[in-house]
Amino acid sequence: MTEKKVALVTGASRGIGKSCALELAKAGYDVAISYAGNEEAANKTLEELKALGSNAKAYKFNIADREACQKAAEDVLKDFGKIDVLVNNAGITRDGLFMRMSAENWEAVINTNLNSAFYMTSSVIKTMVKQRYGCIINMSSIVGLMGNAGQANYSAAKAGLIGFTKSLAKELGSRNIRVNAIAPGFIQTDMTKDLDTEKIAEHIPLKRLGQPEDIAKTVKFLADDGLYITGQVIGVDGGLVV
Ligand code: NDP
């Protein structure tokens, strides 16, 4: 078993998850990353993680599939021996006005963005309880706090993650397991590439969109430094929600 701390970051082939994985690797973690199907991006992330000295491995599975999540968590535990930090990050959007929202788009977002956190967390929680240490970080969104026209499915999932975070923090604190959520604002990734960034920036007090690194540094802080922080929703949004 490795003596280094181990992090599992879901949806880490690209965007915010990738940046979180790299930041944790820089902090000395071995890192397991998950992805849906973008082999090329996952391999590139793996290379970068290994170049940082991390004993990294990638796992391809559908985060919306409970059995696949359980199997992947078992594989990670077999390969790394433990999981200290779980970042439930993988997510999608299927935007559309509610009047026209299909059940398919509702379910896809709830399964991928909310149920996945249940599947992954329930698959690793026993090992965290046993080791009497754990840090779980759920990637919510400002939209989970504010709502957003055209994102009823997404905001419901992200708000759900906040309730999940607070309840788990209360249940698991006595086992030295901290559970927090991050609520990013607009972060420049593939997910936001079609937005009018200049127009959005005008409404942000810090006058810019966030970068994945802005979120990654908060993840690293929660993992290593914020040892008395649990049950919180940390806004990383340039002041958009105040
Ligand atoms: P990206 O679209 O850039 O990356 C999404 C990641 O999730 C990829 O690694 C992708 O894998 C993976 N993924 C998607 N669907 C699945 C699935 N079914 N099973 C397994 N993995 C999957 O997203 P971001 O980096 O922008 O977002 C990351 C998280 O942050 C999400 O939860 C998002 O909701 C949240 N967030 C993002 C904001 C933003 O402005 N970008 C704002 C607020 C919250 P692959 O590469 O294989 O497709």
Side-chain angles (χ1 to χ4, degrees):
M1 192 203 290
T2 175
E3 284 311 307
K4 289 164 77 179
K5 279 199 193 167
V6 177
L8 166 55
V9 185
T10 68
S13 45
R14 301 181 274 128
I16 291 172
K18 172 177 181 173
S19 193
C20 294
L22 291 172
E23 195 67 29
L24 290 167
K26 274 187 223 158
Y29 282 75
D30 283 340
V31 185
I33 62 166
S34 95
Y35 67 109
N38 192 334
E39 214 80 50
E40 200 183 330
N43 285 337
K44 176 136 197 317
T45 303
L46 262 190
E47 266 173 39
E48 292 177 40
L49 288 168
K50 287 181 179 163
L52 289 166
S54 178
N55 171 29
K57 218 171 157 183
Y59 301 81
K60 174 177 162 181
F61 62 96
N62 180 6
I63 202 87
D65 175 337
R66 184 178 185 184
E67 277 176 24
C69 290
Q70 285 170 336
K71 162 87 172 57
E74 278 167 25
D75 289 346
V76 173
L77 284 169
K78 227 179 281 162
D79 294 340
F80 290 86
K82 60 175 182 166
I83 296 170
D84 299 293
V85 176
L86 169 66
V87 186
N88 286 316
N89 168 77
I92 56 167
T93 51
R94 293 285 183 274
D95 296 350
L97 291 175
F98 182 69
M99 296 279 279
R100 271 180 264 138
M101 184 171 287
S102 65
E104 197 186 6
N105 282 349
W106 174 268
E107 283 158 13
V109 170
I110 298 294
N111 289 337
T112 309
N113 296 12
L114 176 60
N115 291 345
S116 59
F118 166 68
Y119 302 151
M120 290 311 299
T121 306
S122 58
S123 302
V124 309
I125 201 63
K126 279 199 187 117
T127 186
M128 286 185 173
V129 167
K130 216 154 94 192
Q131 73 200 15
R132 293 193 76 79
Y133 181 83
C135 171
I136 298 166
I137 299 167
N138 297 314
M139 207 54 75
S140 180
S141 165
I142 52 164
V143 165
L145 296 165
M146 302 194 307
N148 194 23
Q151 290 196 306
N153 49 1
Y154 186 80
S155 56
K158 295 301 185 183
L161 281 177
I162 292 174
F164 178 65
T165 298
K166 292 183 179 183
S167 298
L168 280 196
K170 289 183 177 181
E171 270 187 48
L172 296 168
S174 63
R175 312 300 182 103
N176 196 30
I177 297 169
R178 292 174 296 113
V179 190
N180 291 290
I182 296 177
F186 290 97
I187 309 298
Q188 277 183 309
T189 68
D190 291 344
M191 191 177 267
T192 51
K193 68 179 184 315
D194 296 330
L195 300 179
D196 181 344
T197 52
E198 266 178 40
K199 203 159 158 222
I200 289 169
E202 279 170 26
H203 300 283
I204 301 172
L206 287 181
K207 299 292 170 213
R208 67 169 176 92
L209 272 72
Q211 295 302 314
E213 294 72 28
D214 293 315
I215 308 302
K217 287 189 193 315
T218 310
V219 163
K220 194 271 170 197
F221 168 76
L222 286 172
D224 279 354
D225 307 317
L227 302 182
Y228 200 52
I229 299 176
T230 195
Q232 302 304 306
V233 183
I234 316 281
V236 186
D237 61 6
L240 200 51
V241 179
V242 286

